[in-house]
Amino acid sequence: ASRFRLSGLCFLLQIITIIIFAVFVRYGPESSPGFCSQQLNCSWRNQDAGFQHPRFQDVHLQALLSFGLLVAFLSRYGPGSVAISILIMAFAIQWAVLIQGFLHFFLNGKIYVGTQSMVSADFCTAAILISTGAVLGRVNPVQMLLLTLMGVILFTLNEYILLSLMGVRDSRGSLTVHTFGAYFGLMVSRILHQPHMDKCKKQQDTGNQPDVFAVVATIYLWIFWPSFTSASTVCENAEPWAVLNTYFSLAASTLATLVLSPVLHEEGTLRMVQIQDATLAGAAMMGMAGEMLVTPFGALIAGFLAGLIPPLGLRFLTPVLCSRLKTQDTCGVHNVHGLPGILGALLGTLLTALATADAYGGRLEFIFPLVAQGSWTATDQALCQLCALPITLLLATLGGSLTGAVLKMKGLRSPPDTRYLENTVLWEV
């Protein structure tokens, strides 16, 4: 029955998507300078296709390879979790192009797609993959597809409110990708709480092979994340700041986890997964502030603070989430994405309040256009950035509760046993 439900849902979703594509989706005139900013309600300004295509490749590789390998740490569920990530990405990209297209790339009754819309879809997919990390191994593929279906809609709604309506600057996603993805997934996990799996150590059944996956994933993070964070910069001149700030943050966060991990764990040994988590936290920290004037030493400080969060969270917060709040966080997205995303949003708010024309020069009109135009002061922009945090948390928690309630419907749930973590349930191994 589970196999037939999965087959039927995949068929139905793909047929519906094809029909909607046939009616609405067309190639976008990306060769027309300023097309997006002048005629479409876009959250990112369109740029030359030749400049965007390498960025799209980097973002796509980052989303597929890095996030796919990040969920391979469960020794009895590694191939299954990676395969689920591919399934989620295959559907999320199509669905995100449509949902984001109706809000951002819609003109004269058509959705115009190109490399910029695909970059936006990959950002959305990354947020959904973060969300699924909280429930990995405890839901079946049918539930994962439905989570993706609803998650893409809610992500796009949050993104539209923040970036288009409020004018928030969060092009690298401290709020829209990391914070939303983490707390949306955590709320779904809370609604789907399974008492028989309260022994959280059961979920962390790992061996040597997952650490090999973690090594490869960390290498990909270091290679491609600077491109991921700079893919949506509004002008080419602003790109170096985003790349440099991300690199400095990655370096400092890696050292931070090597400071704490040997002290917090009795065995005193290090694991590659810990460095992987610190790398992700450092990148999430630069999600909002990456294109701002962090300064090199400021990026090092921010990255170091972000790198302290995963080991401290794993030692003190994760047991509380599991035992008292009944939230089973399989991949630790709260420590790796949620808290660093919130701190990144607060850092971005502080830097926004300190922004001046003398410090930013010509970059000000690209990074803070309303401030450069005189419509807002830097304080007004900072208050807007700050208000975006509770809005994101509200949409993530309410949307996660609704999604969890849908996934908890009797017809969708798998038998109540602990075999969710086994590859052999759904995959041939």
Side-chain angles (χ1 to χ4, degrees), residues 226-238:
S227 297
F228 186 87
T229 56
S230 64
S232 55
T233 49
V234 294
C235 68
E236 186 174 359
N237 292 332

Side-chain angles (χ1 to χ4, degrees), residues 1-17 87 91 140-150 406-407 411-412:
S2 177
R3 292 199 303 270
F4 283 122
R5 284 198 299 267
L6 176 61
S7 176
L9 182 61
C10 287
F11 178 80
L12 178 64
L13 291 176
Q14 188 61 76
I15 293 300
I16 292 175
T17 303
L87 173 65
F91 173 63
N140 57 49
V142 172
Q143 292 172 305
M144 281 292 197
L145 280 175
L146 292 176
L147 184 151
T148 304
L149 179 74
M150 301 183 68
V406 172
L407 301 186
L412 297 176

